[in-house]
Amino acid sequence: MLWLPIDRSSDLTLTRQVYGQIRERILSGELASGAKLPSTRELSSELQVSRNIILEAYDQLLAEGFLAARSGSGTFVAEGTYLEQHKKAPLIEALPWDEQTNKGSHIINFRSGIPALDLFPRKTWAKLSQTMWNEAASSALGYDMPEGRPELRQVLSGYLLKTRGVYCHPEQLVITSGATQALTLAAKLLLSPGDDVIMEDPITHDIQTIFTRSGASIYPIPADQDGLDATLLPLHIQPRFVFTTPSHQYPLGGTLPIQRRVQLIKYARQKDCYLIEDDFDSEFRHEGPPVSSLQGLDPERVLYIGSFSKILSPGLRMGYLILPSQLVETCRKLKWFADLHTPSLNQLILARFIEGGYLERHIMKMKRIYKHRRDILIQCLKSAFAHRVHISGHSTGLHLIAQLLDVQFNAELLAEIREAGVNVYPVEDHTIEKGKHKDKLIIGYGHLTNEEIKEGVARLQQVLKSV
C-alpha cells in the first residue's frame, strides 16, 4: 500500500498533495521504475479522499510521463524517471521591503530623482485611461511597432520642439521603457569591446556600468559648476561618443553654457563621433529661462535621451531616444529584440495627456511646489550649518549639492547618519576619478514634505555637530 500523508488544512489542494508526493517519490527512486501503483479505488479508500482526486493526480502524472498505464494490468512507474537528488539549497527568505520613501518609515530619505508621487494626476490619468481602453483600436492590444505608437511619437516630437528646442521627425523617435533602456540601446548601437567613450565626471554610477559592460573604456572629463569642461577634451583618442547632461549636470547641477556646447559640437565633428545628451530633469528649472537642448545645434550628431520618470512617475517606465537618421533602422531592430515594444495603451494615454495640455499644466504646478521645497531645504541647511555649508546645483531639478567644509563622508559617518534616521548620498559614489568630492552630498527633496525636510536636516545637524 502507498501511504501519503494528507493535510486538509494546507493551502494546496488534495489533488496537488497526492500528485506532488508521488512525483517526489518517483524522482528520488523511492518508487522505482516498473513499480506498480495501487488502483485509484484502493488509494482513495486508503487515504479517505474522493476517487476523483486520485484520478486527477494519476492523469497529471501520466501526462507528464511519470506513470505508464498498461491495459488490464494497472498503472506503473515509467522508465527513466529517477533523478539523483542533490542537497537542496535553503529556501530564500522574503526580501525585506525597502521602500524608503514610504511615509510609514522612520527614515527620511534624501534620495535624488524621486518626484512627489502622491501628487501624480491620478484622476486625469484614470479618465484618459478609461477613454483609451474604450476607444483604442484592436491593434493596440497586439504586438506593436518597436519604435512606439505613431500617435505618441507625433505628439512628442512637437512637444519637444516647443519646450526643449529639439529638432526631429517622429520617425527618429524610439519609445523606450525609461531612460535606462534608452541608454542600453545607445550602448548596443554604438559600442564594441575596446571602444573609448568620454564621460563627464562625476556622473551617475549606473550609466558608467551600462557603458563598461559593453566593453568600453571610460575617459573622464571633470565637470564643474558649468558642467563638462570642454577645454579638456582629449585629442589623442578616438571616442565613439561623448556623454553629457548639459541642461542639468548630474550630480553637480551645472548648466552647460553655449561656448562649451559649441566646443563639444566642434570636437564631435573633428573626431567624427556622436554626442549623447541625457536631458536629466531639465523641465524643473527654478531660476532663469528654459535652456534649449544640445541636440538642436546639430541633430545628426546628437542622440537625445529623455523620460517621464521625474516629470510624472518612474512606475510608468516611459522614455524616449531621438536618433540621427542613419541610426534609426538599426535601433528599431535592437528594440525589437530587447522587448518587442513598450506597452501600447500607456503610450496612447500619454499621447492624449500631452496633447490635451495636461502635462504642461502638471509641470507648472510641480515647479511651484518643488521650488518651495527647495527654498525650505536651502533655508534649513544655512540655518543648521551657517558658514560650514556651500550650496550649489540648485537652479534646476529635484536635488541640490551641499558641500560641508572639513567633513569627509566616509562609510562610518554615513552609517552614523543613517542610524540617526536619515539617508544621504555622497557625490563621491558617482565619481570616476576618486577623491575629489568627499565633502559633498546629493540631497534630493522632490518627494519630501516640508516637515520631513526640516526634520531630516535637524537630524543631520545633530550627527555632524561633533565632526
Side-chain angles (χ1 to χ4, degrees), residues 179-425:
T180 299
Q181 187 181 52
L183 289 160
T184 303
L185 288 172
K188 290 181 178 180
L189 192 64
L190 299 178
L191 292 180
S192 299
D195 284 342
D196 288 317
V197 300
I198 294 173
M199 298 184 72
E200 54 195 20
D201 183 19
I203 192 65
T204 312
H205 185 266
D206 288 347
I207 298 177
Q208 299 175 40
T209 302
I210 289 172
F211 296 152
T212 55
R213 283 187 175 179
S214 297
S217 298
I218 293 177
Y219 190 101
I221 298 292
D224 56 25
Q225 69 275 7
D226 291 322
L228 181 149
D229 187 349
T231 63
L232 300 178
L233 290 167
L235 298 177
H236 65 281
I237 65 172
Q238 185 64 42
R240 288 292 290 150
F241 59 78
V242 180
F243 180 87
T244 180
T245 52
S247 296
H248 184 219
Q249 201 281 328
Y250 186 87
L252 298 183
T255 299
L256 201 67
I258 184 60
Q259 292 80 7
R260 291 190 180 187
R261 293 173 186 238
V262 168
Q263 284 179 287
L264 264 179
I265 296 291
K266 289 181 176 179
Y267 179 82
R269 291 174 179 176
Q270 178 185 353
K271 290 292 184 178
D272 192 24
C273 69
Y274 291 102
L275 304 174
I276 296 182
E277 175 180 10
D278 186 355
D279 203 9
F280 180 78
D281 69 9
S282 61
E283 293 81 6
F284 301 119
R285 186 164 177 82
H286 309 306
E287 297 174 4
V291 179
S292 295
S293 67
L294 177 66
Q295 190 267 1
L297 296 176
D298 194 342
E300 288 302 303
R301 187 65 62 179
V302 181
L303 288 76
Y304 180 91
I305 292 172
S307 86
F308 294 91
S309 295
K310 312 298 184 293
I311 307 173
L312 290 171
S313 159
L316 291 179
R317 304 311 309 133
M318 197 72 71
Y320 50 91
L321 173 60
I322 296 175
L323 298 148
S325 54
Q326 66 270 21
L327 299 178
V328 170
E329 192 57 39
T330 304
C331 189
R332 288 180 178 181
K333 292 177 182 177
L334 289 172
K335 180 67 164 68
W336 173 261
F337 288 114
D339 63 358
L340 298 184
H341 62 90
T342 300
S344 302
L345 265 297
N346 277 351
Q347 293 186 56
L348 293 175
I349 297 166
L350 180 58
R352 190 69 61 88
F353 190 80
I354 298 171
E355 195 173 30
Y358 301 109
L359 179 64
E360 290 188 73
R361 289 198 288 274
H362 179 70
I363 290 173
M364 292 303 296
K365 171 187 172 182
M366 298 313 298
K367 278 179 71 173
R368 292 191 297 269
I369 292 171
Y370 292 145
K371 184 177 186 300
H372 183 59
R373 293 179 179 181
R374 181 206 67 164
D375 291 345
I376 288 176
L377 175 58
I378 292 174
Q379 180 183 349
C380 289
L381 288 169
K382 288 183 176 178
S383 176
F385 300 107
H387 65 280
R388 292 183 66 194
V389 66
H390 174 71
I391 297 168
S392 61
H394 54 282
S395 64
T396 306
L398 305 179
H399 77 274
L400 55 75
I401 299 299
Q403 180 181 15
L404 275 298
L405 304 181
D406 302 322
V407 177
Q408 301 286 301
F409 290 101
N410 53 37
E412 293 77 14
L413 181 54
L414 292 170
E416 190 177 344
I417 293 170
R418 179 173 173 78
E419 188 68 25
V422 182
N423 274 359
V424 291
Y425 301 86

